[in-house]
Amino acid sequence: MPTKAFAAQSATSPLGPFTINRREPLPTDVAIDILYCGVCHTDIHFARNEWGFSQYPIVPGHEILGRVTRVGAKVKKFKVGDLAAVGCMVDSCRECSSCKKGLEQYCLTGSTFTYNGPDKHSGGMTFGGYSKAIVCDEAFTLKVPANLDPAAAAPLLCAGITTYSPLKHWNVTKGQKVGIVGLGGLGHMGVKFARAMGAHTVLFTTSPGKADDGRKLGAAEVVISKNADEMSKHAGSFDFILDTVSAEHDINAYMALLKLDATLVQVGVPPKPLPVNVFSLVMPRRTLAGSLIGGIAETQEMLDFCGKKEIACEIEKIRMDQINEAYERMLRSDVKYRFVIDMASL
Ligand code: NAP
Ligand code: ZN
Ligand code: ZN
């Protein structure tokens, strides 16, 4: 089915109109008309080949929310007219030890990512949510809580799960002191979730103008990370820090704030390596770790948690043709706190 989309044709060209082909729904497929798609910083890394493995043309977008228009004969979870969502993955091998544990994002044969991944059906590459419609196996399609605003729920599919999953995995609980570094799409959800899990949440930001918002979103304290004196007051005091920064920065400054045996988890993926001062690992014994999105079952758990606690994202709706300007604003850390494309504009 020919489908309108927006694509980057090279690392240096702005995104523009493009037509892709979506497959006819197979027996276990759900066809979705996309209502909203969030704009993740990963979309910029890929559109501009900052990680070095982009294959053009690229249709970014993996925070997809829409309405079901058709279902295959074997589909059980969805019917026509339902809200449905697709995140960062559309498939995996479903058989390896990671997939069996519900960790499809760490599939040993490689999960099929929603865009710029080898498409098992077309033989080409997958195309993401900057498009009017998508067809996805129901096993990788998520249910959306009815009480959430659909536009504000869309970014939960990446920004939400990417922050929820490590907070859960490292057992963040009430009474702990937890740091969130960077108040962008991921960071603002990190603040909301850490607070919802009962932690004493501290936001680290390079943008003094975001301090009030940080407190409103749930931070008990806000630290301007460029201020070394403010940083040093927190030395050795954190149980857990989640770093969402998309660009080069000094992670040693944050490692120094961890307690004995505490962990800093990197979810931001700056294109260049981040130097680690080994002293900040050994004195006292500390852990530096990473985390990639979350599995499908955990993504559904996160969406249900958000429905129950009425948690969604702070968004600014844009038209599809504003995407290039939105990228420039994100690069200036000027997003409050997630752009969401209204697909009616495409
Ligand atoms: P975003 O909305 O652009 O937010 C990034 C934030 O980082 C900015 O708002 C800014 O916050 C801070 N920042 C930016 N440049 C900085 C610099 N030079 N030094 C210090 N801080 C800086 O991006 P996002 O969509 O949240 O994504 C963040 C990163 O996570 C990206 O690298 C993305 O690819 C990655 N990501 C990873 C996963 C995963 O599974 N691991 C999933 C999704 C995204 P302040 O203004 O508050 O300082
Ligand atoms: Zn993302
Ligand atoms: Zn697998």
Side-chain angles (χ1 to χ4, degrees):
M1 297 176 277
T3 304
K4 276 187 175 178
F6 242 57
Q9 299 292 344
S10 80
T12 51
S13 55
L15 275 71
F18 182 60
T19 301
I20 57 174
N21 190 46
R22 296 294 191 195
R23 66 175 179 267
E24 285 294 319
L26 298 167
T28 56
D29 278 344
V30 179
I32 300 164
D33 267 0
I34 301 175
L35 298 170
Y36 298 105
C37 183
V39 180
C40 178
H41 207 110
T42 298
D43 301 350
I44 305 180
H45 293 313
F46 268 109
R48 302 189 175 183
N49 197 22
E50 291 174 352
W51 290 337
F53 46 87
S54 299
Q55 289 195 35
Y56 296 93
I58 285 190
V59 175
H62 56 207
E63 296 181 335
I64 300 166
L65 193 145
R67 211 166 276 289
V68 175
T69 52
R70 283 162 75 187
V71 292
K74 291 188 179 160
V75 167
K76 294 199 182 79
K77 277 191 326 192
F78 295 92
K79 57 181 193 320
V80 172
D82 285 352
L83 281 180
V86 178
C88 303
M89 297 177 281
V90 290
D91 211 344
S92 71
C93 86
R94 309 184 196 195
E95 284 169 0
C96 73
S97 55
S98 294
C99 287
K100 281 193 176 139
K101 282 187 214 144
L103 297 170
E104 298 88 352
Q105 74 275 34
Y106 305 120
C107 175
L108 298 179
T109 63
S111 13
T112 305
F113 291 104
T114 303
Y115 63 84
N116 198 65
D119 188 326
K120 287 179 189 166
H121 302 279
S122 72
M125 299 299 271
T126 53
F127 292 123
Y130 295 6
S131 59
K132 287 296 254 188
I134 190 165
V135 176
C136 184
D137 193 291
E138 73 163 331
F140 283 74
T141 307
L142 287 307
K143 294 271 207 188
V144 181
N147 60 327
L148 299 180
D149 168 32
L156 295 173
L157 276 298
C158 177
I161 186 60
T162 302
T163 49
Y164 180 88
S165 179
L167 290 168
K168 290 286 281 196
H169 182 75
W170 274 274
N171 299 314
V172 162
T173 52
K174 201 167 179 231
Q176 288 186 334
K177 185 172 173 185
V178 168
I180 305 291
V181 186
L183 196 67
L186 266 56
H188 92 288
M189 292 314 299
V191 169
K192 287 194 184 199
F193 285 139
R195 166 67 180 266
M197 291 172 192
H200 178 88
T201 306
V202 180
L203 166 68
F204 294 94
T205 178
T206 59
S207 308
K210 294 181 184 172
D212 286 347
D213 284 348
R215 284 189 203 93
K216 277 185 212 140
L217 292 167
E221 297 178 66
V222 178
V223 176
I224 306 304
S225 52
K226 288 173 179 161
N227 183 328
D229 288 343
E230 265 193 68
M231 292 286 280
S232 64
K233 282 185 202 149
H234 294 270
S237 67
F238 279 86
D239 295 285
F240 182 80
I241 297 179
L242 187 66
D243 184 333
T244 74
V245 174
S246 52
E248 270 178 273
H249 62 293
D250 179 17
I251 57 169
N252 301 294
Y254 298 100
M255 292 297 296
L257 308 187
L258 295 174
K259 284 179 181 169
L260 170 69
D261 285 331
T263 301
L264 181 146
V265 172
Q266 194 65 44
V267 285
V269 188
K272 289 202 187 125
L274 298 175
V276 177
N277 177 352
V278 176
F279 273 111
S280 65
L281 286 174
V282 302
M283 279 166 54
R285 183 174 61 194
R286 294 169 171 135
T287 303
L288 173 61
S291 180
L292 180 71
I293 48 173
I296 293 297
E298 192 176 40
T299 304
Q300 190 62 62
E301 175 192 307
M302 178 273 312
L303 286 166
D304 296 345
F305 177 86
C306 288
K308 213 177 292 164
K309 301 246 175 192
E310 296 193 328
I311 293 175
C313 307
E314 306 303 310
I315 61 159
E316 193 177 322
K317 273 190 213 165
I318 59 168
R319 295 188 313 271
M320 188 69 257
D321 64 9
Q322 290 175 300
I323 189 67
N324 296 300
E325 186 190 325
Y327 280 7
E328 292 310 316
R329 282 188 52 194
M330 283 169 78
L331 290 168
R332 294 196 297 269
S333 301
D334 174 25
V335 49
K336 293 187 173 155
Y337 282 90
R338 196 56 137 189
F339 292 117
V340 173
I341 306 160
D342 182 347
M343 235 20 103
S345 67
L346 177 62

